[in-house]
Each structure stands twice: as structure tokens, then as C-alpha cells.
RNA sequence: GCCCCGGUAGCUCAGUUGGAUAGAGCAACUGCCUUCUAAGCAGUAGGUCAUGGGUUCGAAUCCCGUCCGGGGUACCA
């Protein structure tokens, strides 16, 4: 049982016994005792003054006496102003450590038959260009919150909605037809998604030139944008596609297949995966049907130009378009269709959409629309809204090529990891293949940790130069400490030193107790991360834990201790720290190397 | 205009349901490799928590105003 729960219960008892009052458990405010005071857990007594009608000091004294007398684990206490510092006895901390060491799944739960089913949608790429840094944040967050949900005992389905149709892909198709000369991934040696992305940029270049030309001829900006030959041709392709023109559909299939091959490589390198993939080309018609049903049922209305709308003014929002005047579907239409298909396929209890915060309004509307269409789960959808990734040079614009490409970034970071390792003379004992794997692990650890350690809701700054940092509060620092722990454990095994979970030790130093306290916090951290959908909570916890261990590690020798009980105790700490950190980093999708 | 989010050290970020003297890392400066991995450790310096008010025993945290930044805002996704 966690110390907070024990004390909380006891305080409720104490208040009843001393002041004959019933208390809401939430009024019991406990916190870690500050390092400069004696004690482990601190109770704030200010809220009780009304009940005791005594000074803070006397109230704290009375409660302290009661707790010391009635609670086994409370060994002593002291009072400073309105703060009651409780000293918890050694046995409690040793028992906790044993538990961490023995319990292979400490802090994480397994899904059971009746567990809640959570579906997490993330990634959701367009098929006209490769993945970039913004997608990386999305993918890492999506993967991580899915893993965290699992660790909290939820059943999880990871899903991806691929936006495989629409004007954007037609632009790439048109450019390929015009200027591609039959180029393929095989003939060019390019990754499929990069090749298609190149044509998307190519399209935009021509399109812009055409607009400029038309503007010179005296057309208005709007006219020019609508009458440029390229865009007209792309629209024609979209029309043909919707009319199922065989040649167009064939080209669409071919180019999309190139992109998927490329995406598969990127996903694999990034270490993310999906249980079920939906394609917009298969869901948008379902969405259209639903909108028409809503129209027939009078939930939506039609304007004179035949466009279909929802009136959300009763919900404090505006009018929202659902079908264009030409009958084609918009973004919202397909999301309605996808949602319907998903809830038909799975018995979903909670739907989580990992999508950037520029779409907050979209998901607010989607929830209301689904509700209006009679889907009971509509109101409960959760939009996991994360902030944008900014660069020192400003914003990323895919059309202008000012993006940080996902594949390039991973490769570059691997290069830096390799160079750094060589300079430091690390990993020389490993084979080329093993070393290569480790470089990749370190590079991705750095990238993932850098992105996941910040609060997902906030915009974050990504400086490519500074982010490739392997010192300080970084993934590699945590991996490094882990590798050293494994090294110590290997050496212990070599020396035939057995590790015993039974701890018989006279005294526990302050530093060691700090570590034990922090270890015992892990289950609460996993829970908090799950409730707040925040991988950052786990990242920062792991850093603190590892940092504290490092300090301990420098001040104390583990293997060079004469007293076997002390050596065993330290080995158990090292092993427990290793386990917890590995578990935590796993929830972030970060692998831990055995040596580095 | 209206709506949403943010502002903490030079930079990047933490900061527990309001609690004691606001914390890390980077960058700068100083020490420490005959001792389990120096991708490390110890130390110095760096703050009007954007700003003005309010709530109370107590505010970076809650409420209101102002300034600055980002996003959204009816036929892009």
C-alpha cells in the first residue's frame, strides 16, 4: 500500500478522534518533505485549524502524536509552522524496494476481459508527400499514449486514417503525368513517398508560375488561381477519379502504393505501428450517406445552391458546411464516415484522436455532429490536441520545402550518434552490426525523448543543431545510465554474486532513501500519465530517477563493498532502477541498450 | 472583430488537487578519469514567474483587466 494512502486514512481517523469531525479525503494534503527538513512525508495542517480551533503548531503536534502512536510506519515527527513532517520507518522503504525488485511488471497493469477498449487514432498522413517533423511529434505521442493506456490496463486499438484521395494527390498525379517521364521509385532509386512528394512540389512550382502569368494578363487573383491550367487539370483528374475512370484509378493506385512502401519504412524506423488502418477512399462515401440521412431526418439543411449545412448556433458555434454545392464531400464528411465504420468494427468505449491543435474547432464540431446524428459515443470523443513544432527559421511549409523531413532527420541523428561514439571510444567491443543497431537506438532515443519530454499541449521549439544533444536531460543520458547499471549487474553475475530480494540492512542513507521514495512513485506516475494523456510526466520522472541514481553511483561503490548485506542492498537498488527506467522508457517507445 | 491556447534564468523546458527559500539541462566559468563506463559527478553565476489588480493564513498555480505571441473563424485538409 502506498504511503500516501496509509497516512491519508490515518489522518482521517486522527481528526475524528481528536476533533470529532468527518473529513473529505481530498482535504488531506500530503507532499514530499523538502530536502532541508527531517522527514519523508509532510502533512499541511492549515485546513484543519477551523476544526481544532488551535494554533497551527499545536494542531500539528496533536496530529503528529496521534499518528506516531497509531501508525506502525510512522517513526517520528517534527513540526515547523503549519507543516507536520513525518518520518517513515526503514522497513516500509525496504519492503517497497523488494516489491519493485520482485514484481516484474511493477507499476503497470494488464488488460482484462472487461477492460475499457480505447481506440487511438494517430499519424493520419496525406499520401502526396513524405512525413515530416510535425508527423513525428504526432506519431510519437500517439504511440506513447497508446502504450500508456495499455500500462493502465486498457485494451487498445491503434488506428491510422490515411487521407489517400482528394485534390492533393491529384496534383502529384498530374505533375507526374506532365513532367515525370515515367519515373518510378525503382528507376530513380528514390523512396516512393519522397518521389511523389517531389511531384507535389513540382506541381506547385508550375501552378505558381501560371498564376503569375495570368495576373500579368490582367486577371484577378481569384480568377488566376482558379483558371491556371494545372489546377484545372488536377480538378479534372479528381472528377475522373470520383467517376471511377479506369486509367485515373490505376495511376492513383500505383502512386499511392509507392507512398505506402515509403511510409512503411519510416514507420518501422520510427518504431510505431497500427492495429487497423482506414483509408479515406473507403470511408468518405459512408460519411456522405450519413450526412444525407441527417438531411432527410431534418438534422441538417440544404441551401439554395444545393450545399448541405449544419446549424450549430444552439451550441454556441456557427454554420458548418458538410457537402459542397457540387455534392462532393469535405474533411468533416469523411470523419463522420470513418467514425461510423470504426464503431461498427469495434466495441469502442473511448475514441482518442491525436491531431494538432489547429483542428480544435474541427473536433468540437465533429463531437456535436456525431451526437446530432444519434451516435451515443459522439459527445465523448477525446481530441488529444498537441502543439505545433516550430523551427528557429520559422514555420515549416511543405510546399516551400522548408520542412524537416522525418527520414533525413533520423539518418542525420544516427550519423551524429556514430561520430560521437567513435570520438568517445565507445562500443568498440561490439560487432559492426550490433554497433549500428545501438547508434540507431541512441539517435532515436535522443529524438523521441526530446519531443516527448515537453508538455504535449504546448508548442515546442525544435532546433536541429541543439536537439542533437546527448548530454544533460536527454534520452541518451538515461540510456547511458541504464547501460552502466547493466554493466554492474553483468560484473556481479561474473563474480557469482547472487542478488537476494530479502534486505537486511542496518541503516539507509538519505540519498538511498530518496531513490527508494522515487521508485515507489512509479505506479502513481504511470496512472497520472494515463489520466492526463501525457508522456512528458513519465519522461521527466525517469530523468529525475536516473539523475538521483547517478549521484548515488558516484558517491558509493556498489561492487566494492565489504559488507555483503550492503552490497546486496545496492545491487537491488541498481537493478530496480534499471527495471523501472526501462519500463518507463518503453512507454515512450524508447529502447534501452545493454551497453553504450 | 469573435473564440481557443500560451508567456517561468540568455536559450530549451520542469514545477504535484494553491503550500515552506521557484527547479533541471544547454550556453559561460571552476574543479574531478591508477577506483563498478567522464555520453558522468561536484561547484560558481544567472529570476519583478509578461504586467496591473483581486480572492486568503499562503498565489508561478484560482478570478478580472492590459500587453505580447500562436492557432482557428461557413464550400483547404
Amino acid at each position: 500500500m502506498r504511503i500516501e494512502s496509509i497516512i491519508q486514512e490515518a489522518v482521517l481517523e486522527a481528526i475524528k478522534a481528536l476533533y470529532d469531525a468527518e473529513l473529505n479525503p481530498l482535504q488531506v494534503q500530503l507532499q514530499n518533505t523538502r530536502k532541508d527538513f527531517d522527514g519523508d512525508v509532510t502533512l499541511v495542517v492549515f485546513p484543519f485549524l477551523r476544526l481544532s480551533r488551535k494554533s497551527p503548531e499545536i494542531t500539528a503536534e496533536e496530529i503528529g502524536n496521534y499518528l506516531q502512536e497509531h501508525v506502525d510506519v510512522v517513526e517520528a515527527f517534527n513540526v515547523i509552522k503549519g507543516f507536520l513532517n513525518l518520518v517513515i520507518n526503514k522497513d516500509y522503504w525496504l519492503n517497497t524496494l523488494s516489491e519493485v525488485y520482485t514484481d516484474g511488471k511493477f507499476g503497470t497493469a494488464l488488460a482484462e476481459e472487461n477492460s475499457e477498449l480505447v481506440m487511438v487514432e494517430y499519424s493520419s498522413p496525406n499520401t502526396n508527400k513524405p512525413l515530416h517533423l510535425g508527423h513525428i511529434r504526432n506519431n510519437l505521442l500517439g504511440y506513447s499514449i497508446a502504450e500508456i493506456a495499455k500500462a493502465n490496463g486498457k485494451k487498445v486499438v491503434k488506428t491510422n486514417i490515411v487521407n489517400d484521395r482528394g485534390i492533393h494527390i491529384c496534383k502529384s498525379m498530374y505533375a507526374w503525368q506532365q513532367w515525370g517521364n515515367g519515373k518510378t521509385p525503382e528507376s530513380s532509386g528514390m523512396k516512393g513517398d519522397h518521389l511523389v512528394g517531389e511531384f507535389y512540389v513540382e506541381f506547385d512550382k508550375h501552378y505558381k508560375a501560371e498564376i503569375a502569368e495570368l495576373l500579368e494578363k490582367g486577371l484577378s487573383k481569384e480568377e488566376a488561381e482558379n483558371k491556371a491550367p494545372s489546377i484545372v487539370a488536377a480538378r479534372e483528374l479528381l472528377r475522373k477519379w470520383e467517376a471511377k475512370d479506369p486509367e485515373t484509378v490505376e495511376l492513383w493506385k500505383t502512386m499511392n502504393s509507392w507512398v505506402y512502401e515509403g511510409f512503411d519504412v519510416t514507420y518501422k524506423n520510427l518504431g510505431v505501428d497500427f492495429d487497423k488502418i482506414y483509408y479515406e477512399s473507403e470511408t468518405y462515401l459512408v460519411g456522405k450517406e450519413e450526412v444525407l440521412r441527417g438531411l432527410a431526418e431534418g438534422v441538417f439543411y440544404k441551401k439554395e445552391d444545393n450545399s448541405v449545412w449544419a446549424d450549430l448556433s444552439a451550441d454556441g458555434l456557427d454554420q458548418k458546411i458538410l457537402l459542397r454545392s457540387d455534392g462532393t464531400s469535405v474533411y468533416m464528411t469523411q470523419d463522420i464516415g470513418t467514425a461510423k465504420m470504426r464503431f461498427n468494427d469495434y466495441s469502442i468505449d473511448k475514441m482518442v484522436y491525436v491531431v494538432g491543435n489547429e483542428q480544435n474547432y474541427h473536433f468540437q464540431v465533429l463531437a456535436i455532429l456525431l451526437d446530432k446524428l444519434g451516435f451515443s459515443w459522439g459527445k465523448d470523443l477525446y481530441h488529444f490536441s498537441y502543439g505545433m513544432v516550430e523551427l528557429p527559421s520559422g514555420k515549416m511549409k511543405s510546399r516551400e520545402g522548408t520542412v524537416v523531413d522525418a527520414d533525413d532527420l533520423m539518418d542525420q541523428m544516427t550519423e551524429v550518434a556514430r561520430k560521437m561514439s567513435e570520438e568517445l571510444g565507445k562500443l568498440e567491443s561490439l560487432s559492426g552490426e550490433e554497433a549500428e543497431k545501438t547508434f540507431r537506438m541512441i539517435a532515436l532515443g535522443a529524438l523521441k525523448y526530446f519531443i516527448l519530454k515537453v508538455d504535449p499541449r504546448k508548442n515546442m521549439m525544435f532546433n536541429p543543431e541543439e536537439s542533437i544533444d546527448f548530454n544533460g536531460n536527454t534520452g541518451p543520458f538515461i540510456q547511458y545510465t541504464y547501460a552502466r547499471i547493466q554493466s554492474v549487474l553483468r560484473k556481479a553475475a561474473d563474480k557469482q554474486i547472487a542478488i537476494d530480494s530479502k534486505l537486511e540492512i542496518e541503516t539507509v542513507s538519505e540519498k538511498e532513501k530518496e531513490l527508494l521514495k522515487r521508485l515507489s512513485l512509479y505506479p502513481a506516475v504511470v496512472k497520472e500519465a494515463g489520466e492526463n494523456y501525457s508522456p512528458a510526466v513519465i519522461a521527466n520522472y525517469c530523468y529525475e530517477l536516473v539523475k538521483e541514481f547517478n549521484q548515488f553511483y558516484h558517491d558509493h561503490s556498489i561492487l566494492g563493498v565489504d559488507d555483503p548485506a550492503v552490497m546486496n542492498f545496492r545491487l537491488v537498488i541498481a537493478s530496480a532502477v534499471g527495471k523501472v527506467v526501462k519500463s518507463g522508457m518503453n512507454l515512450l517507445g524508447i529502447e534501452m541498450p545493454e551497453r553504450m
Side-chain angles (χ1 to χ4, degrees), chain A residues 11-45:
Chain A
V11 170
L12 294 181
E13 266 178 48
I15 296 296
K16 182 117 175 61
L18 293 168
Y19 311 122
D20 193 32
E22 295 287 343
L23 215 57
N24 180 338
L26 289 176
Q27 286 175 274
V28 180
Q29 293 182 38
L30 294 171
Q31 53 191 282
N32 280 329
T33 304
R34 290 182 68 100
K35 287 206 173 79
D36 23 346
F37 298 104
D38 273 342
D40 301 304
V41 178
T42 294
L43 176 73
V44 184
V45 300

mmCIF file of all heavy atoms in Angstrom, chain A residues 11-45:
data_model
loop_
_atom_site.group_PDB
_atom_site.id
_atom_site.type_symbol
_atom_site.label_atom_id
_atom_site.label_comp_id
_atom_site.label_asym_id
_atom_site.label_seq_id
_atom_site.Cartn_x
_atom_site.Cartn_y
_atom_site.Cartn_z
ATOM 1 N N VAL A 11 -4.921 9.984 8.977
ATOM 2 C CA VAL A 11 -5.228 11.377 9.333
ATOM 3 C C VAL A 11 -6.730 11.542 9.508
ATOM 4 O O VAL A 11 -7.199 12.231 10.428
ATOM 5 C CB VAL A 11 -4.693 12.349 8.250
ATOM 6 C CG1 VAL A 11 -5.225 13.752 8.476
ATOM 7 C CG2 VAL A 11 -3.172 12.366 8.268
ATOM 8 N N LEU A 12 -7.507 10.905 8.644
ATOM 9 C CA LEU A 12 -8.960 10.970 8.790
ATOM 10 C C LEU A 12 -9.379 10.459 10.169
ATOM 11 O O LEU A 12 -10.212 11.052 10.850
ATOM 12 C CB LEU A 12 -9.646 10.141 7.700
ATOM 13 C CG LEU A 12 -9.472 10.642 6.266
ATOM 14 C CD1 LEU A 12 -10.214 9.742 5.289
ATOM 15 C CD2 LEU A 12 -9.954 12.079 6.130
ATOM 16 N N GLU A 13 -8.733 9.344 10.562
ATOM 17 C CA GLU A 13 -9.001 8.771 11.886
ATOM 18 C C GLU A 13 -8.618 9.747 12.984
ATOM 19 O O GLU A 13 -9.361 9.962 13.940
ATOM 20 C CB GLU A 13 -8.152 7.524 12.077
ATOM 21 C CG GLU A 13 -8.826 6.226 11.717
ATOM 22 C CD GLU A 13 -7.829 5.078 11.917
ATOM 23 O OE1 GLU A 13 -7.175 5.053 13.008
ATOM 24 O OE2 GLU A 13 -7.678 4.289 10.994
ATOM 25 N N ALA A 14 -7.451 10.331 12.816
ATOM 26 C CA ALA A 14 -6.921 11.242 13.837
ATOM 27 C C ALA A 14 -7.860 12.427 14.029
ATOM 28 O O ALA A 14 -8.155 12.825 15.162
ATOM 29 C CB ALA A 14 -5.526 11.721 13.445
ATOM 30 N N ILE A 15 -8.328 12.979 12.925
ATOM 31 C CA ILE A 15 -9.208 14.147 13.018
ATOM 32 C C ILE A 15 -10.508 13.776 13.726
ATOM 33 O O ILE A 15 -11.038 14.534 14.531
ATOM 34 C CB ILE A 15 -9.521 14.687 11.597
ATOM 35 C CG1 ILE A 15 -8.253 15.187 10.916
ATOM 36 C CG2 ILE A 15 -10.558 15.794 11.665
ATOM 37 C CD1 ILE A 15 -7.599 16.376 11.583
ATOM 38 N N LYS A 16 -10.977 12.574 13.442
ATOM 39 C CA LYS A 16 -12.208 12.104 14.083
ATOM 40 C C LYS A 16 -11.992 11.956 15.588
ATOM 41 O O LYS A 16 -12.792 12.422 16.407
ATOM 42 C CB LYS A 16 -12.608 10.758 13.475
ATOM 43 C CG LYS A 16 -13.878 10.163 13.997
ATOM 44 C CD LYS A 16 -14.896 10.042 12.870
ATOM 45 C CE LYS A 16 -16.170 9.323 13.309
ATOM 46 N NZ LYS A 16 -16.911 9.966 14.372
ATOM 47 N N ALA A 17 -10.878 11.308 15.934
ATOM 48 C CA ALA A 17 -10.604 11.041 17.333
ATOM 49 C C ALA A 17 -10.319 12.319 18.113
ATOM 50 O O ALA A 17 -10.803 12.509 19.227
ATOM 51 C CB ALA A 17 -9.421 10.082 17.454
ATOM 52 N N LEU A 18 -9.553 13.234 17.500
ATOM 53 C CA LEU A 18 -9.119 14.431 18.223
ATOM 54 C C LEU A 18 -10.180 15.535 18.233
ATOM 55 O O LEU A 18 -10.380 16.205 19.240
ATOM 56 C CB LEU A 18 -7.834 14.990 17.606
ATOM 57 C CG LEU A 18 -6.578 14.121 17.744
ATOM 58 C CD1 LEU A 18 -5.468 14.648 16.858
ATOM 59 C CD2 LEU A 18 -6.121 14.082 19.202
ATOM 60 N N TYR A 19 -10.817 15.724 17.091
ATOM 61 C CA TYR A 19 -11.720 16.891 16.984
ATOM 62 C C TYR A 19 -13.143 16.499 16.639
ATOM 63 O O TYR A 19 -13.976 17.342 16.351
ATOM 64 C CB TYR A 19 -11.187 17.867 15.923
ATOM 65 C CG TYR A 19 -9.716 18.166 16.101
ATOM 66 C CD1 TYR A 19 -8.803 17.912 15.096
ATOM 67 C CD2 TYR A 19 -9.249 18.662 17.321
ATOM 68 C CE1 TYR A 19 -7.457 18.160 15.264
ATOM 69 C CE2 TYR A 19 -7.897 18.906 17.509
ATOM 70 C CZ TYR A 19 -7.002 18.647 16.478
ATOM 71 O OH TYR A 19 -5.669 18.876 16.667
ATOM 72 N N ASP A 20 -13.385 15.182 16.596
ATOM 73 C CA ASP A 20 -14.719 14.675 16.319
ATOM 74 C C ASP A 20 -15.318 15.280 15.050
ATOM 75 O O ASP A 20 -16.451 15.781 15.051
ATOM 76 C CB ASP A 20 -15.642 14.943 17.524
ATOM 77 C CG ASP A 20 -16.937 14.144 17.386
ATOM 78 O OD1 ASP A 20 -16.882 13.044 16.803
ATOM 79 O OD2 ASP A 20 -17.976 14.636 17.844
ATOM 80 N N ALA A 21 -14.533 15.254 13.965
ATOM 81 C CA ALA A 21 -15.037 15.808 12.706
ATOM 82 C C ALA A 21 -14.796 14.818 11.568
ATOM 83 O O ALA A 21 -13.805 14.093 11.562
ATOM 84 C CB ALA A 21 -14.350 17.131 12.397
ATOM 85 N N GLU A 22 -15.732 14.805 10.629
ATOM 86 C CA GLU A 22 -15.559 13.983 9.429
ATOM 87 C C GLU A 22 -14.890 14.833 8.366
ATOM 88 O O GLU A 22 -15.210 16.007 8.200
ATOM 89 C CB GLU A 22 -16.925 13.502 8.914
ATOM 90 C CG GLU A 22 -17.663 12.555 9.847
ATOM 91 C CD GLU A 22 -17.044 11.159 9.882
ATOM 92 O OE1 GLU A 22 -16.262 10.857 8.958
ATOM 93 O OE2 GLU A 22 -17.337 10.416 10.837
ATOM 94 N N LEU A 23 -13.974 14.207 7.642
ATOM 95 C CA LEU A 23 -13.201 14.980 6.683
ATOM 96 C C LEU A 23 -13.303 14.361 5.293
ATOM 97 O O LEU A 23 -13.382 13.149 5.147
ATOM 98 C CB LEU A 23 -11.738 14.972 7.128
ATOM 99 C CG LEU A 23 -10.911 16.218 6.892
ATOM 100 C CD1 LEU A 23 -11.550 17.415 7.550
ATOM 101 C CD2 LEU A 23 -9.519 16.008 7.445
ATOM 102 N N ASN A 24 -13.305 15.179 4.311
ATOM 103 C CA ASN A 24 -13.198 14.698 2.936
ATOM 104 C C ASN A 24 -11.737 14.322 2.694
ATOM 105 O O ASN A 24 -10.847 15.107 2.981
ATOM 106 C CB ASN A 24 -13.621 15.839 1.996
ATOM 107 C CG ASN A 24 -13.534 15.443 0.543
ATOM 108 O OD1 ASN A 24 -12.809 14.521 0.184
ATOM 109 N ND2 ASN A 24 -14.274 16.143 -0.275
ATOM 110 N N PRO A 25 -11.477 13.113 2.173
ATOM 111 C CA PRO A 25 -10.086 12.687 1.951
ATOM 112 C C PRO A 25 -9.277 13.706 1.147
ATOM 113 O O PRO A 25 -8.066 13.823 1.330
ATOM 114 C CB PRO A 25 -10.241 11.389 1.156
ATOM 115 C CG PRO A 25 -11.589 10.874 1.520
ATOM 116 C CD PRO A 25 -12.438 12.069 1.806
ATOM 117 N N LEU A 26 -9.956 14.454 0.300
ATOM 118 C CA LEU A 26 -9.232 15.428 -0.522
ATOM 119 C C LEU A 26 -8.642 16.568 0.308
ATOM 120 O O LEU A 26 -7.750 17.267 -0.133
ATOM 121 C CB LEU A 26 -10.156 16.014 -1.592
ATOM 122 C CG LEU A 26 -10.543 15.059 -2.729
ATOM 123 C CD1 LEU A 26 -11.530 15.710 -3.667
ATOM 124 C CD2 LEU A 26 -9.297 14.614 -3.495
ATOM 125 N N GLN A 27 -9.167 16.739 1.509
ATOM 126 C CA GLN A 27 -8.656 17.824 2.349
ATOM 127 C C GLN A 27 -7.345 17.452 3.023
ATOM 128 O O GLN A 27 -6.698 18.292 3.630
ATOM 129 C CB GLN A 27 -9.691 18.187 3.414
ATOM 130 C CG GLN A 27 -10.871 18.958 2.857
ATOM 131 C CD GLN A 27 -11.924 19.196 3.908
ATOM 132 O OE1 GLN A 27 -12.781 18.362 4.130
ATOM 133 N NE2 GLN A 27 -11.831 20.322 4.582
ATOM 134 N N VAL A 28 -6.994 16.178 2.916
ATOM 135 C CA VAL A 28 -5.721 15.752 3.492
ATOM 136 C C VAL A 28 -4.629 16.028 2.471
ATOM 137 O O VAL A 28 -4.471 15.323 1.485
ATOM 138 C CB VAL A 28 -5.748 14.249 3.841
ATOM 139 C CG1 VAL A 28 -4.427 13.835 4.444
ATOM 140 C CG2 VAL A 28 -6.890 13.956 4.789
ATOM 141 N N GLN A 29 -3.873 17.084 2.695
ATOM 142 C CA GLN A 29 -2.847 17.475 1.729
ATOM 143 C C GLN A 29 -1.484 16.952 2.147
ATOM 144 O O GLN A 29 -0.927 17.391 3.140
ATOM 145 C CB GLN A 29 -2.787 19.001 1.626
ATOM 146 C CG GLN A 29 -4.028 19.609 1.016
ATOM 147 C CD GLN A 29 -3.893 21.102 0.892
ATOM 148 O OE1 GLN A 29 -2.834 21.609 0.589
ATOM 149 N NE2 GLN A 29 -4.987 21.805 1.153
ATOM 150 N N LEU A 30 -0.996 15.999 1.321
ATOM 151 C CA LEU A 30 0.310 15.422 1.625
ATOM 152 C C LEU A 30 1.291 15.801 0.536
ATOM 153 O O LEU A 30 0.933 15.938 -0.622
ATOM 154 C CB LEU A 30 0.186 13.896 1.690
ATOM 155 C CG LEU A 30 -0.672 13.368 2.833
ATOM 156 C CD1 LEU A 30 -0.913 11.883 2.679
ATOM 157 C CD2 LEU A 30 -0.003 13.649 4.174
ATOM 158 N N GLN A 31 2.522 15.977 0.913
ATOM 159 C CA GLN A 31 3.554 16.241 -0.073
ATOM 160 C C GLN A 31 4.869 15.666 0.415
ATOM 161 O O GLN A 31 5.009 15.336 1.584
ATOM 162 C CB GLN A 31 3.677 17.738 -0.316
ATOM 163 C CG GLN A 31 3.878 18.543 0.956
ATOM 164 C CD GLN A 31 3.738 20.034 0.738
ATOM 165 O OE1 GLN A 31 4.637 20.657 0.245
ATOM 166 N NE2 GLN A 31 2.598 20.594 1.104
ATOM 167 N N ASN A 32 5.794 15.529 -0.504
ATOM 168 C CA ASN A 32 7.120 15.090 -0.104
ATOM 169 C C ASN A 32 7.759 16.162 0.765
ATOM 170 O O ASN A 32 7.647 17.343 0.467
ATOM 171 C CB ASN A 32 7.990 14.858 -1.329
ATOM 172 C CG ASN A 32 7.685 13.515 -1.978
ATOM 173 O OD1 ASN A 32 7.314 12.559 -1.281
ATOM 174 N ND2 ASN A 32 7.815 13.456 -3.278
ATOM 175 N N THR A 33 8.413 15.721 1.806
ATOM 176 C CA THR A 33 9.089 16.669 2.674
ATOM 177 C C THR A 33 10.265 17.291 1.926
ATOM 178 O O THR A 33 10.987 16.591 1.218
ATOM 179 C CB THR A 33 9.606 15.959 3.937
ATOM 180 O OG1 THR A 33 8.494 15.326 4.557
ATOM 181 C CG2 THR A 33 10.249 16.945 4.891
ATOM 182 N N ARG A 34 10.395 18.580 2.069
ATOM 183 C CA ARG A 34 11.527 19.244 1.409
ATOM 184 C C ARG A 34 12.841 18.709 1.967
ATOM 185 O O ARG A 34 12.915 18.338 3.132
ATOM 186 C CB ARG A 34 11.452 20.757 1.634
ATOM 187 C CG ARG A 34 10.322 21.418 0.890
ATOM 188 C CD ARG A 34 10.374 22.903 1.138
ATOM 189 N NE ARG A 34 11.545 23.498 0.513
ATOM 190 C CZ ARG A 34 11.511 24.146 -0.658
ATOM 191 N NH1 ARG A 34 10.370 24.295 -1.279
ATOM 192 N NH2 ARG A 34 12.607 24.651 -1.168
ATOM 193 N N LYS A 35 13.832 18.709 1.123
ATOM 194 C CA LYS A 35 15.097 18.073 1.492
ATOM 195 C C LYS A 35 15.747 18.685 2.734
ATOM 196 O O LYS A 35 16.438 18.011 3.469
ATOM 197 C CB LYS A 35 16.078 18.150 0.310
ATOM 198 C CG LYS A 35 15.691 17.193 -0.808
ATOM 199 C CD LYS A 35 16.903 16.790 -1.642
ATOM 200 C CE LYS A 35 16.562 15.721 -2.653
ATOM 201 N NZ LYS A 35 15.880 16.251 -3.835
ATOM 202 N N ASP A 36 15.517 19.969 2.956
ATOM 203 C CA ASP A 36 16.200 20.627 4.070
ATOM 204 C C ASP A 36 15.516 20.398 5.420
ATOM 205 O O ASP A 36 15.937 20.943 6.431
ATOM 206 C CB ASP A 36 16.391 22.125 3.787
ATOM 207 C CG ASP A 36 15.395 22.642 2.783
ATOM 208 O OD1 ASP A 36 14.748 21.819 2.124
ATOM 209 O OD2 ASP A 36 15.262 23.859 2.651
ATOM 210 N N PHE A 37 14.456 19.596 5.445
ATOM 211 C CA PHE A 37 13.821 19.275 6.721
ATOM 212 C C PHE A 37 13.881 17.782 6.968
ATOM 213 O O PHE A 37 14.006 16.993 6.030
ATOM 214 C CB PHE A 37 12.355 19.723 6.732
ATOM 215 C CG PHE A 37 12.174 21.204 6.570
ATOM 216 C CD1 PHE A 37 11.748 21.729 5.357
ATOM 217 C CD2 PHE A 37 12.435 22.063 7.619
ATOM 218 C CE1 PHE A 37 11.583 23.098 5.202
ATOM 219 C CE2 PHE A 37 12.270 23.431 7.465
ATOM 220 C CZ PHE A 37 11.842 23.952 6.259
ATOM 221 N N ASP A 38 13.781 17.398 8.230
ATOM 222 C CA ASP A 38 13.729 15.981 8.567
ATOM 223 C C ASP A 38 12.359 15.426 8.219
ATOM 224 O O ASP A 38 11.350 16.078 8.472
ATOM 225 C CB ASP A 38 13.979 15.800 10.081
ATOM 226 C CG ASP A 38 15.464 15.707 10.369
ATOM 227 O OD1 ASP A 38 16.215 15.438 9.403
ATOM 228 O OD2 ASP A 38 15.853 15.919 11.525
ATOM 229 N N GLY A 39 12.335 14.234 7.703
ATOM 230 C CA GLY A 39 11.050 13.593 7.439
ATOM 231 C C GLY A 39 10.921 13.141 6.008
ATOM 232 O O GLY A 39 11.757 13.434 5.160
ATOM 233 N N ASP A 40 9.832 12.385 5.760
ATOM 234 C CA ASP A 40 9.609 11.835 4.425
ATOM 235 C C ASP A 40 8.336 12.383 3.802
ATOM 236 O O ASP A 40 8.298 12.720 2.640
ATOM 237 C CB ASP A 40 9.508 10.308 4.521
ATOM 238 C CG ASP A 40 10.756 9.706 5.117
ATOM 239 O OD1 ASP A 40 11.848 9.961 4.581
ATOM 240 O OD2 ASP A 40 10.664 9.012 6.141
ATOM 241 N N VAL A 41 7.293 12.419 4.633
ATOM 242 C CA VAL A 41 6.006 12.888 4.138
ATOM 243 C C VAL A 41 5.567 14.061 5.005
ATOM 244 O O VAL A 41 5.763 14.048 6.215
ATOM 245 C CB VAL A 41 4.950 11.766 4.214
ATOM 246 C CG1 VAL A 41 3.599 12.264 3.741
ATOM 247 C CG2 VAL A 41 5.387 10.572 3.403
ATOM 248 N N THR A 42 4.993 15.073 4.368
ATOM 249 C CA THR A 42 4.577 16.255 5.118
ATOM 250 C C THR A 42 3.079 16.464 4.982
ATOM 251 O O THR A 42 2.523 16.410 3.883
ATOM 252 C CB THR A 42 5.318 17.495 4.603
ATOM 253 O OG1 THR A 42 6.708 17.357 4.900
ATOM 254 C CG2 THR A 42 4.793 18.758 5.265
ATOM 255 N N LEU A 43 2.460 16.679 6.132
ATOM 256 C CA LEU A 43 1.032 16.981 6.145
ATOM 257 C C LEU A 43 0.857 18.479 6.368
ATOM 258 O O LEU A 43 1.460 19.061 7.268
ATOM 259 C CB LEU A 43 0.346 16.211 7.271
ATOM 260 C CG LEU A 43 -1.136 16.515 7.459
ATOM 261 C CD1 LEU A 43 -1.960 15.902 6.337
ATOM 262 C CD2 LEU A 43 -1.613 16.010 8.812
ATOM 263 N N VAL A 44 0.032 19.098 5.531
ATOM 264 C CA VAL A 44 -0.262 20.511 5.702
ATOM 265 C C VAL A 44 -1.469 20.626 6.626
ATOM 266 O O VAL A 44 -2.538 20.103 6.314
ATOM 267 C CB VAL A 44 -0.581 21.170 4.350
ATOM 268 C CG1 VAL A 44 -0.789 22.665 4.519
ATOM 269 C CG2 VAL A 44 0.530 20.909 3.363
ATOM 270 N N VAL A 45 -1.294 21.306 7.774
ATOM 271 C CA VAL A 45 -2.378 21.285 8.766
ATOM 272 C C VAL A 45 -3.282 22.510 8.710
ATOM 273 O O VAL A 45 -4.298 22.553 9.397
ATOM 274 C CB VAL A 45 -1.839 21.133 10.208
ATOM 275 C CG1 VAL A 45 -1.069 19.840 10.345
ATOM 276 C CG2 VAL A 45 -0.981 22.320 10.589
#
